[in-house]
């Protein structure tokens, strides 16, 4: 029942995974056609980035209809097929839920009778958007300012409003009734805003721990205690399904105790992203410190399922950021990700060590420059990497030297390593126990298995007693 305790979740960036109709953009039939790869790899679940209708200012994270599928990706029947086809292979499907904000083209934002569904002010406070600049935009038709914690085309919903909460209950149930295994919740730490819209204090050095500096401590625009009430409300919905559904929240906090708080008492999120881990520098001291502090903060409560990830669609991929393209380091990173206790997310391409792809200015599509980590999947060394028969929406990386088909033929490849590690992960039992190791080495035990990550060699060694 608690399949996620030891799960490997695989993040599919749908636009860049597989294109079935040669329009250069990945889609649901394309994803379905590649499920055998994921079944062979042995993943438990996929998390699909948003597939709902969107003007794509923030590529799906600006939703204009929560119950409709973005036509370029397919139809609702394709989602049903995906759930069924994945299910036949033992793979569950999680969808991305974007509750913090909508698109400015969502009918709710254009409906005068729903003004109170959004956050308005007569005087902007000092809040800055996660993407830089003021988080407020003047709406001439309304004569007031609306809040946008991301792009100005992404107005924030007012989560104090009970109608908004009730509407999202319906949205959750719509997809859960369709058979999805749960959601990855976007900005799960941010829905409710300070009731009085108080100014944020200036940032201290420890507030600037993410790759995108904020300039202020996010206190009143994010991380409000009342957001936990919303998570508990959704947990009750998820738990009422059979089998129970899973909530994986995108939470971006520095302190392990704050991170652990999003699990509640087993009554909030089932899995919480650990960005302190993702942003740690790739050396044994900082990595082991984050891991040990995270495990200590979570304790051994029955709901305590830590989550580890090195890449996603928002930040430089780990083979580039952590490993500088050195496959020996990529082996080490994969071994770490897949032998730590709990669940792990692999981002599409991690299994072959895909790196960031430099994207020339004229081909950039993302307003804040995240294209290098979003380029199409390398299925083969053929033209367009087997991703599309058309012109890919973003340029391809060096798919001739790194692709699924070649690595599948090579038993010594990263792909085979990943598959073997996923199999090992399923057998691993027992808590993380730190072992003494030489300098540059991180050794730990899980039951009778010892993992040695030697960052100096560099090499990863696994000894099964
Ligand atoms: C986090 C998502 O992963 C990112 O892609 C998006 O831009 C922001 N949330 C805003 O929705």
């Amino acid at each position: 029942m608690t399949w996620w305790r030891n799960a490997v979740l695989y993040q599919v960036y749908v636009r860049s995974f597989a294109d079935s109709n040669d329009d250069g953009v990945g889609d649901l039939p394309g994803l379905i056609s590649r499920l055998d790869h994921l079944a062979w790899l042995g993943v438990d679940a996929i998390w699909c980035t948003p597939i709902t209708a969107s003007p794509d200012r923030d590529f799906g994270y600006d939703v204009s209809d929560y119950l409709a599928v973005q036509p370029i990706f397919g139809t609702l029947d394709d989602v049903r097929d995906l759930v069924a086809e994945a299910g036949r292979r033992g793979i569950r499907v999680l969808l991305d839920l974007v509750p913090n904000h909508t698109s400015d083209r969502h009918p709710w934002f254009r409906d005068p009778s729903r003004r109170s569904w959004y956050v308005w002010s007569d005087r902007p406070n000092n809040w800055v958007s996660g993407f830089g600049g003021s988080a407020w935009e003047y709406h001439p038709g309304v004569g007031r300012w609306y809040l946008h914690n991301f792009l100005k085309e992404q107005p924030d919903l007012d989560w104090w409003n009970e109608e908004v909460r009730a509407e999202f209950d319906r949205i959750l149930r719509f997809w859960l009734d369709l058979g999805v295994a749960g959601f990855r919740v976007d900005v799960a730490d941010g829905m409710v805003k300070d009731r009085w819209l108080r100014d944020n204090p200036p940032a201290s050095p420890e507030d600037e721990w993410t790759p995108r500096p904020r300039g202020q401590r996010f206190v009143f625009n994010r991380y409000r205690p009342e957001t936990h009430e919303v998570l508990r409300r959704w947990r009750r919905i998820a738990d009422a399904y059979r089998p129970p559904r899973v909530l994986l929240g995108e939470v971006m906090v520095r302190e392990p105790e704050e991170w652990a708080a999003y699990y509640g008492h087993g009554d909030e999120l089932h899995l919480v992203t650990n960005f302190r881990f993702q942003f740690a520098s790739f050396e044994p001291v900082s990595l082991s410190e984050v891991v040990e502090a995270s495990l200590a903060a979570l304790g051994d409560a029955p709901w305590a399922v830590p989550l580890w990830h090195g890449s996603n669609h928002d930040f430089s991929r780990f083979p580039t950021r952590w490993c500088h393209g050195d496959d020996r380091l990529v082996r080490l990173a994969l071994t770490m990700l897949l032998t730590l206790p709990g669940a792990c997310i692999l981002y599409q391409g991690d299994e072959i060590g895909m790196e960031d792809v430099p994207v020339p200015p004229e081909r950039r599509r993302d307003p804040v420059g995240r294209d290098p980590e979003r380029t199409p999947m390398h299925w083969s060394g053929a033209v367009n990497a087997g991703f599309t028969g058309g012109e890919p929406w973003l340029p391809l990386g060096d798919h001739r030297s790194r692709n699924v088909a070649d690595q599948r033929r090579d038993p010594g490849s990263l792909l085979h390593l990943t598959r073997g590690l996923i199999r090992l992960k399923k057998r691993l039992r027992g808590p993380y126990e730190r072992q003494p190791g030489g300098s540059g080495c991180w050794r730990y035990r899980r039951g009778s298995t010892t993992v040695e990550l030697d960052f100096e060699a560099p090499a990863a060694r696994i000894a099964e007693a």
Side-chain angles (χ1 to χ4, degrees), residues 47 58 61 96 98 101 131 150 154 184 186-187 250 312-314 370 374:
W47 144 36
D58 188 15
Y61 289 97
D96 215 310
V98 188
H101 45 266
F131 292 155
F150 295 91
Q154 293 170 294
R184 175 269 190 185
D186 189 59
V187 202
E250 185 207 26
N312 68 18
H313 63 297
D314 291 331
R370 294 167 293 186
R374 297 179 173 183

Side-chain angles (χ1 to χ4, degrees), residues 380-425:
S380 73
V383 183
N384 289 332
F387 163 69
T388 179
E391 176 64 20
W393 77 288
L394 281 177
L396 291 159
D398 182 5
H399 59 285
R400 293 198 172 79
S401 69
R402 195 182 285 282
N403 63 67
V404 172
D406 288 351
Q407 293 200 19
R408 183 89 185 240
R409 281 189 289 271
D410 172 6
S413 64
L414 291 174
L415 181 61
H416 277 268
L417 172 79
T418 306
R419 183 176 189 241
L421 286 167
I422 292 176
R423 291 182 165 192
L424 170 69
K425 181 171 177 59

Side-chain angles (χ1 to χ4, degrees), residues 130-182:
F131 292 155
S134 169
W136 296 93
E137 181 74 13
Y138 186 70
H139 189 304
V142 178
R144 302 182 79 195
W145 304 75
Y146 66 86
L147 176 68
H148 60 89
N149 270 311
F150 295 91
L151 300 175
K152 68 176 171 31
E153 293 85 0
Q154 293 170 294
D156 277 49
L157 284 162
D158 186 351
W159 276 90
W160 289 101
N161 186 325
E162 181 54 36
E163 287 174 3
V164 169
R165 295 185 184 206
E167 184 66 30
F168 269 85
D169 291 352
R170 284 192 281 276
I171 292 167
L172 264 76
R173 291 198 174 100
F174 174 84
W175 293 107
L176 295 175
D177 288 344
L178 197 132
V180 310

Side-chain angles (χ1 to χ4, degrees), residues 13 36 65 82 95 115 118 158 162 165 176 180 290 331 338 425 435 463-464:
Y13 192 75
D36 284 340
D65 185 344
L82 172 65
L95 296 183
R115 289 277 183 259
Y118 293 86
D158 186 351
E162 181 54 36
R165 295 185 184 206
L176 295 175
V180 310
V290 183
R331 282 175 183 272
L338 289 162
K425 181 171 177 59
Q435 303 287 299
E464 289 186 81

